[in-house]
Amino acid sequence: MNPNPSSRRAMLKSAALAGAASSGLLLPEWALAQTGKIRVGLMLPYSGAFAPLGVAIENGVRMAINEQGGKLGGREIEWFKVDDESDPSKGVENASKLVQRDKVDVLIGTVHSGVQMGIQKVARDSGVLTLIPNAGVHAATRALCAPNVFRTSFSNSQPTLALGQAMVKRGHKKAVWITWKYAAGDEAFEGFKESYTQAGGTIVKELGLPFPNVEFQALLTEIAALKPDAVACFFAGPSGAKFMKDFAAAGLKDKIALYGSGFLTEGVLEAAGPAADGVITTLHYSDSLDTPRNKAFRLAYAKTFRAQPDVYAVQGYDTGLLLAQGMKAVNGDVNAKPALYKALEAAVIDSPRGKWTMSKSHNPVQDIYLRVAEKGENKVIGVAAKALSDPGTGCRMG
Ligand code: PHB
């Protein structure tokens, strides 16, 4: 008898299957669930302001799983995809399509914090294993945390918790904050406010515009009139490139230092051109990380996808690595939930960003890098925070 309980379970199930097949019986659902393909649902933006982010995440997920032979815990994969359009009003409906209609075993999604709240509801109601490859909304790993939800990216305040101090160190003590007004921008502000004011900085004004609006002109005029030492911001995707270009075109680049949560310069350095040069940001990844792991990842990604990877590709990749590790631990038995969650909680992800682990509330414990954009690259100029963990405030598992 095989002493390993999960492979013993697998043997019993295959024996049951062989019996069912030879006697012409219909297979029971539990047998199908264990031996058929594993159903993986991707709920990501494939249109709208965050479309390139969704594509990079999917590329990363597939790349990690392909490196493991294209299977999870020995099982083939069937993929299901939904374009969530970064539209929070369709969040629950879109997540339900994957969970109720497609009966996915794992849901991977998404980018936008508002849409994530819809996924979180469906994840909590259904108990389906859910991996968050980007959206940083605090509630997902704080008050609304759940045993079946794991984040492989960041919490919204993590990158900016390291930003304020770096600004004050550079002598920029009077700042304007500007962002899209929704959870990601508001929670990024929480981190910024804490680190900037603690370091002795003063926030002279908070500016905002609704997502995904990119009419920055009136706000840039206001910034020019306020004459702060620096501007700090949260924007992401191609809109970030537009913000940097508009900032330069408004004549502010040589007068006011521009800082950001590092998403500002991810995947858009080419599009932003010289407008990005000198922009200082904090993030849990940098393309220029000089490690064999990052270099090998970047080379392989570029070869496969004919594109340069960014933080979103890395987060997708790490999602694939985490899922592969979990499935391996339970030999592909997604219903072995306690063992699966234990494996995911204990995982050490050997990421291109550097090794990271899961916090108790299922959010990465990770280093935050200080970077400066220079000639198409985010150059690392320091580690802004070491092994930074989200506090997980209000999280009660179970
Ligand atoms: C979010 O909505 O949580 C979000 C979106 C894009 C980012 C970061 C966070 O780059």
Side-chain angles (χ1 to χ4, degrees):
M1 188 53 105
N2 189 321
N4 176 336
S6 50
S7 41
R8 198 165 62 224
R9 223 174 11 244
M11 279 168 57
L12 289 172
K13 278 168 189 170
S14 41
L17 277 181
S22 61
S23 60
L25 292 174
L26 281 178
L27 295 179
E29 202 165 312
W30 61 260
L32 264 181
Q34 295 320 308
T35 58
K37 289 184 178 175
I38 190 156
R39 300 162 83 85
V40 179
L42 297 172
M43 176 160 157
L44 292 167
Y46 295 106
S47 60
F50 288 154
L53 288 59
V55 171
I57 288 169
E58 177 174 347
N59 288 347
V61 170
R62 287 184 186 267
M63 182 173 153
I65 293 174
N66 284 339
E67 284 177 1
Q68 317 282 322
K71 290 186 179 179
L72 288 169
R75 291 169 65 186
E76 305 268 351
I77 301 167
E78 186 166 1
W79 296 92
F80 298 84
K81 281 169 68 162
V82 166
D83 175 9
D84 68 38
E85 305 164 52
S86 292
D87 182 348
S89 74
K90 297 183 196 153
V92 168
E93 182 191 331
N94 281 328
S96 302
K97 277 184 196 162
L98 289 171
V99 170
Q100 310 298 339
R101 181 193 66 192
D102 301 332
K103 307 217 174 324
V104 297
D105 298 304
V106 189
L107 192 165
I108 296 174
T110 189
V111 169
H112 185 286
S113 276
V115 180
Q116 197 68 45
M117 290 303 282
I119 296 181
Q120 194 73 10
K121 176 168 175 23
V122 173
R124 285 166 61 96
D125 289 352
S126 66
V128 164
L129 174 62
T130 299
L131 306 179
I132 310 175
N134 185 73
V137 65
H138 285 164
T141 57
R142 293 191 185 179
L144 295 179
C145 74
N148 56 313
V149 177
F150 293 81
R151 181 148 54 200
T152 58
S153 50
F154 56 90
S155 75
N156 280 328
S157 56
Q158 257 182 328
T160 42
L161 256 177
L163 181 62
Q165 204 180 16
M167 292 171 64
V168 172
K169 264 194 192 155
R170 281 173 170 66
H172 297 134
K173 293 193 176 150
K174 212 177 86 175
V176 167
W177 169 261
I178 179 167
T179 189
W180 277 316
K181 288 297 292 170
Y182 79 106
D186 293 343
E187 293 176 352
F189 178 68
E190 280 180 37
F192 170 66
K193 186 177 169 187
E194 186 177 326
S195 76
Y196 195 58
T197 53
Q198 269 177 19
T202 304
I203 300 164
V204 291
K205 185 103 190 205
E206 272 179 73
L207 297 172
L209 69 173
F211 175 87
N213 195 324
V214 289
E215 299 309 315
F216 300 121
Q217 214 47 57
L219 297 167
L220 291 171
T221 304
E222 198 173 340
I223 290 171
L226 286 163
K227 295 192 173 54
D229 301 332
V231 167
C233 67
F234 166 82
F235 292 110
S239 312
K242 182 172 189 301
F243 181 72
M244 289 185 280
K245 282 171 133 177
D246 288 2
F247 189 85
L252 301 182
K253 188 168 168 51
D254 300 326
K255 296 186 191 131
I256 302 170
L258 181 56
Y259 290 86
S261 180
F263 304 108
L264 179 67
T265 57
E266 285 298 307
V268 299
L269 284 176
E270 208 173 302
D277 284 339
V279 175
I280 293 180
T281 60
T282 42
L283 198 65
H284 47 286
Y285 178 64
S286 173
D287 31 71
S288 73
L289 277 176
D290 192 12
T291 60
R293 183 75 178 106
N294 186 42
K295 286 184 167 161
F297 165 77
R298 297 193 66 81
L299 206 65
Y301 186 99
K303 248 192 198 163
T304 308
F305 302 107
R306 308 257 157 244
Q308 289 301 319
D310 53 19
V311 72
Y312 309 105
V314 171
Q315 292 167 178
Y317 185 73
D318 289 2
T319 305
L321 291 182
L322 178 70
L323 184 56
Q325 278 195 29
M327 289 302 165
K328 196 170 170 195
V330 295
N331 291 323
D333 183 355
V334 278
N335 291 332
K337 290 191 172 174
L340 175 56
Y341 298 163
K342 219 172 132 193
L344 297 174
E345 280 169 349
V348 178
I349 301 300
D350 186 13
S351 166
R353 73 180 96 164
K355 283 200 174 117
W356 61 268
T357 55
M358 273 297 166
S359 72
K360 281 202 167 62
S361 56
H362 299 176
N363 190 71
V365 179
Q366 56 191 338
D367 296 344
I368 306 291
Y369 305 99
L370 184 64
R371 309 117 40 99
V372 61
E374 230 174 64
K375 298 192 192 101
E377 212 190 19
N378 287 298
K379 250 186 73 184
V380 177
I381 51 174
V383 176
K386 196 85 194 131
L388 186 65
S389 184
D390 187 85
T393 314
C395 170
R396 301 265 174 283
M397 291 288 176

